[in-house]
Each structure stands twice: as C-alpha cells, then as structure tokens.
Amino acid sequence: MLPSLQESVDGDERELESSEEGGGPAEERRPERFSNSYYCLYGYQGYSSSEQAADSDDGSPSSATPETPSAEDFSIPEFRVGCYYCLLQQEKLLETATVESNISPPEYVTCFLGGSEKGLELFRLELDMYVQGLKTNLDSEKSNLETYIKPYLRSWFEDSVCPIQRVVQLFQEKLAFLLHAALSYTPVEVKNSDERTKKDIHRFLSAASLQGLIQEGTMTSLCIAMTEEQHRSVVIDCSGPQPQFHNAGSNKFCDDWMQAFLNGAEGGNPFLFRQIVENFKLKAIQDTNNLKRFIRQAEMNHYALFKCFVFLKNCGSGDVLLKIVKVEQAEMPEAKNVITVLEEFMRETAVA
C-alpha cells in the first residue's frame, strides 16, 4: 500500500541491527538504546585579535592559547549515536561589549548525543528551536547553571525527540483527525490539557504540515481560505480518560497513514515516527504536483480532465489537494475553469 514507507522502515531496521555490537537480538536492546541520551555545555572566553597576535620577545607566538578539553570531559557511549551541536552567543553581552576591551563576550557550545547514528538529522528543526529556548535563558551566573540550564539540557531528548511518539500513543486511531488537520491547515484548539500534552500536539501539527514544502504565499492564502470557509477550528478535549475531537474530519489518505503510524508503534522507535511523518508529507506533495500537472494538461485536453477525475477519486485526499491547487492557481483563468469542473465532480461524488 505504501511502498516508500515500507522501504524506509526496512532501512531503519537494518541500520539498527548493523550498528549494534555484541550478542543477542537487536530488538531486546532497542528500548535501552533509545532511552539513553547525553548532553554537554562548553563555555569559552575569547580574546581580541590584537592580543592573540602578540609575540614573545624572541619572536615566537604567545603561549596564551585556548585549553583543549581532555577526553575525560566527553561522555561517549559504547555504540554509535547521533550528534547535534550548536554555537551560542549571548546577544546582550555582544551589544554592551566595548571595542577597547581585549576580552570577547563568553560563548557556549551545546552538544546533544543520542539515538541512532543518523536519527538526529530528522530532528534538526526541533533541536534548533530547543537550543533557542536555552539561549534566551542563558547568562553568565553560575547559579543559573544548576537551577535552570542543567535541568533544561537534561530534558532535551524527551522534549525534542519524543513528542511525536507520545502523540501517536495518545490518539491511536484518532490520529487520522490530527493528520487531516495538519494537511488541510485547519486550526486546532486544545482544551483541558496539561502543558506538555498541548505542546506535543502542536509540535506534531507543525511537523506534519506542508510548511516549507509549498510556497509561503500559498500557505498563507490556504490558511485564510480554510478559516473563511465553513470549517471551524478542530477542538480536542482532553478532560476525559480519552481525548475527544469536535469538528474534526479525515479522508482515506489520512486513515491509511494513521495505520502506518500504529504499525510503527510496535518497535518503540521515536526516529521511525519522524521518518513516517516525512514520508507522509512527501507523498502529499507528490500527489499535489501530479494533480497540478493533470490540470495544466486538462486546459487543452479533455482526456486529461478525465485523468484528473480518476486521480482525485483514487488518491484518498482529493478534498484537500484540490483546495491547495485552487489557491495556487487563483490567478490563472484557464486553470480556474478546470478546477471549477473538478469541484463539481467532488461534490457529486461526495453526495453519491
């Protein structure tokens, strides 16, 4: 049903098995592997270029060089893991630093280790956002390191990598409603929920949306169009033992991918969930591009118009894709006529 998804699943499983060392099946050690994570924060003080260039009396370079951390300063696991690192500069101190000062403002490098060797690459945007949260609260007071910075760094894996997995486990079959909301840019309101669950839901929506894969202007217009139509915000009520959806919708495309998420839940691999999200978006973009190609052909070819009908009927997400294409082709009269015919077809199909 979803060959691209199956290939990615098989590939991830092979990577997990090949990177494990020692005896025993890889599945027995997988939960421990994904639960292990490491972090470190390095601070260093730079000097101005004039002081660094200073030489000694005999003409040899100055011995004032940065100290290199020893190997004991690194926490290195026994198996391959992903590595993310980022340079942090304190903007407030940069603004107040004087030109005459030989000492540059302190800078920091944060480093996260965890997961599979290539797994963290999938979470680059999430980790960038997480580090920005660290940056806004980082200062030069050592007391802040224990009271805020250290607990914040300790939670990086749970807060950046695990939200998608927690959402899948929370919603189960109802995940299709969330996928449809992300695909159609329908606003989602979360009520009676704890703060972490609310953040998890919105992070999932952000990860599953087509933002960054379609033109920014199209995305903005689509959000406005979805708000102005009869669609109201999807409301998720978390007051009961199971979350309840109101004003939610779905389609066959989202139902199929919901099942793919549930199938992936058996292995407990948070990186696999992120890969499924990426495949979900890529398939939606591929279908959108195919529909646009058929519409361009249908402007001069009646057989191509029939191909549009068949495609919309079989792709499982024709209701959403047609709205996306309609926004993109709003300024093209020929395409607008074709889209009008296709909308009538979709309404008749829905009634039938």
Side-chain angles (χ1 to χ4, degrees), residues 35-56:
S35 63
N36 288 340
S37 60
Y38 308 85
Y39 66 89
C40 56
L41 180 68
Y42 295 98
Y44 63 92
Q45 186 79 51
Y47 295 89
S48 65
S49 57
S50 59
E51 182 170 334
Q52 289 178 341
D55 294 337
S56 61

Side-chain angles (χ1 to χ4, degrees), residues 84-282:
Y84 170 93
Y85 60 91
C86 182
L87 171 65
L88 300 176
Q89 294 179 318
Q90 294 177 276
E91 296 178 357
K92 292 184 178 179
L93 291 179
L94 287 174
E95 294 174 357
T96 58
T98 59
V99 179
E100 293 81 7
S101 175
N102 289 329
I103 301 178
S104 301
E107 296 180 338
Y108 299 89
V109 173
T110 183
C111 180
F112 298 140
L113 300 176
S116 60
E117 186 176 3
K118 298 181 180 180
L120 289 189
E121 295 178 5
L122 298 171
F123 291 88
R124 179 62 182 269
L125 294 178
E126 288 86 347
L127 292 173
D128 286 345
M129 293 179 60
Y130 196 77
V131 169
Q132 286 302 314
L134 171 66
K135 183 177 180 180
T136 57
N137 293 278
L138 190 64
D139 59 34
S140 58
E141 298 179 8
K142 292 184 178 180
S143 60
N144 193 45
L145 183 64
E146 293 295 330
T147 59
Y148 179 79
I149 301 301
K150 190 173 181 178
Y152 187 89
L153 290 171
R154 187 185 297 118
S155 302
W156 75 269
F157 193 87
E158 284 292 320
D159 291 346
S160 298
V161 176
C162 296
I164 295 177
Q165 182 179 25
R166 289 195 294 264
V167 168
V168 174
Q169 294 171 344
L170 175 64
F171 290 108
Q172 298 292 314
E173 288 81 4
K174 295 179 181 179
L175 187 71
F177 298 142
L178 212 57
L179 291 171
H180 188 268
L183 192 63
S184 61
Y185 295 92
T186 303
V188 174
E189 182 181 356
V190 183
K191 293 184 176 181
N192 304 315
S193 168
D194 60 86
E195 192 62 27
R196 189 177 82 162
T197 299
K198 183 180 295 186
K199 288 183 178 179
D200 285 352
I201 293 173
H202 287 294
R203 285 172 178 169
F204 181 92
L205 290 169
S206 177
S209 74
L210 301 184
Q211 184 175 2
L213 298 179
I214 62 176
Q215 297 179 0
E216 184 175 351
T218 299
M219 181 186 66
T220 303
S221 300
L222 184 61
C223 292
I224 296 174
M226 294 301 294
T227 304
E228 292 178 348
E229 288 186 8
Q230 70 273 15
H231 293 77
R232 293 170 291 176
S233 298
V234 173
V235 178
I236 305 176
D237 187 357
C238 298
S239 59
Q242 294 294 327
Q244 298 298 319
F245 281 78
H246 304 281
N247 308 323
S250 186
N251 54 32
K252 186 178 184 300
F253 182 82
C254 295
D255 290 341
D256 289 344
W257 281 96
M258 172 272 296
Q259 191 59 52
F261 278 98
L262 296 186
N263 293 340
E266 299 176 358
N269 182 345
F271 301 98
L272 177 59
F273 288 119
R274 191 65 173 85
Q275 185 62 64
I276 296 175
V277 169
E278 292 303 312
N279 290 346
F280 166 80
K281 295 192 296 183
L282 290 176

